[in-house]
Amino acid sequence: APGKCSGSGVPPPGPCECAVPTPERVAGCGHGWSAGAAEAEPRFKQALDLQQRHGMANRHVTLNNLGTVCMLQDDPKRALAYFQEARTRARQARDQPNLAIALNNIGDASRGLGRLDQALQAYDEALPIVRGLGHRRMEGVLLNNRAVVRLEQHRPVEATA
């Protein structure tokens, strides 16, 4: 039987129930389903098309998911384009939680492209949003991501600040 995902990023023993590559789970825990990313991409693109044709306002969530698929396919350049569009649409929708997610994802994709200053800028922009939402877990993720970038920049003192 599949294990339960704790959301901690640590895979459970054995296969995770999140390993089923469905569009609903592509933004899930992140273990086991990277091989299913190629299958998920056309599904998300189909969802995006339907959302556009029917004037649905949640396209930014699907764009974030498409970016995540691209990151799993080791394509941060393509991911960055999706994340940037997700950021724009989340701002337009005044969706602060998904704006913060898009900004964090922009940071991750930028880091994957070696654009460390751009990554820090995205993480820094997301921090006050998540703090305003009282989302302590996401705040921790962002602070960790900032520290990793500072270490990659050979600035260990700033990584601990």
Side-chain angles (χ1 to χ4, degrees), residues 5 9 11 16 18-19 25-34 68 72:
C5 173
C16 176
C18 299
R25 292 192 177 133
V26 167
C29 73
H31 26 82
W33 46 261
S34 61
T68 300
L72 289 169

Side-chain angles (χ1 to χ4, degrees), residues 20-24 26 36-50 62 66:
V20 180
T22 64
E24 297 79 23
V26 167
E39 293 175 31
E41 186 173 7
R43 293 177 185 161
F44 280 126
K45 286 183 175 179
Q46 181 181 21
L48 198 60
D49 181 55
L50 288 170
T62 303
L66 274 163

Side-chain angles (χ1 to χ4, degrees), residues 31-157:
H31 26 82
W33 46 261
S34 61
E39 293 175 31
E41 186 173 7
R43 293 177 185 161
F44 280 126
K45 286 183 175 179
Q46 181 181 21
L48 198 60
D49 181 55
L50 288 170
Q51 290 166 341
Q52 184 172 355
R53 281 192 278 144
H54 296 286
M56 298 171 74
N58 62 339
R59 293 186 69 214
H60 54 284
V61 175
T62 303
L63 289 162
N64 258 322
N65 290 340
L66 274 163
T68 300
V69 167
C70 293
M71 290 295 285
L72 289 169
Q73 294 172 334
D74 198 26
D75 192 350
K77 184 176 180 179
R78 219 166 39 110
L80 184 60
Y82 281 122
F83 294 146
Q84 288 171 330
E85 189 175 348
R87 174 191 58 195
T88 299
R89 291 182 179 279
R91 276 195 181 123
Q92 291 168 346
R94 292 185 166 83
D95 183 344
Q96 293 294 94
N98 281 299
L99 174 58
I101 290 168
L103 288 165
N104 179 68
N105 291 344
I106 287 169
D108 292 347
S110 298
R111 186 171 157 245
L113 292 167
R115 301 176 188 167
L116 300 181
D117 289 335
Q118 184 178 342
L120 279 177
Q121 183 180 10
Y123 297 143
D124 287 344
E125 189 177 343
L127 265 171
I129 296 169
V130 298
R131 286 178 174 152
L133 294 168
H135 200 309
R136 301 285 292 166
R137 181 175 173 270
M138 186 66 177
E139 181 180 359
V141 167
L142 288 163
L143 290 171
N144 178 74
N145 290 347
R146 289 183 84 258
V148 169
V149 170
R150 292 294 190 197
L151 290 172
E152 289 174 348
Q153 292 176 323
H154 307 289
R155 297 160 72 176
V157 173

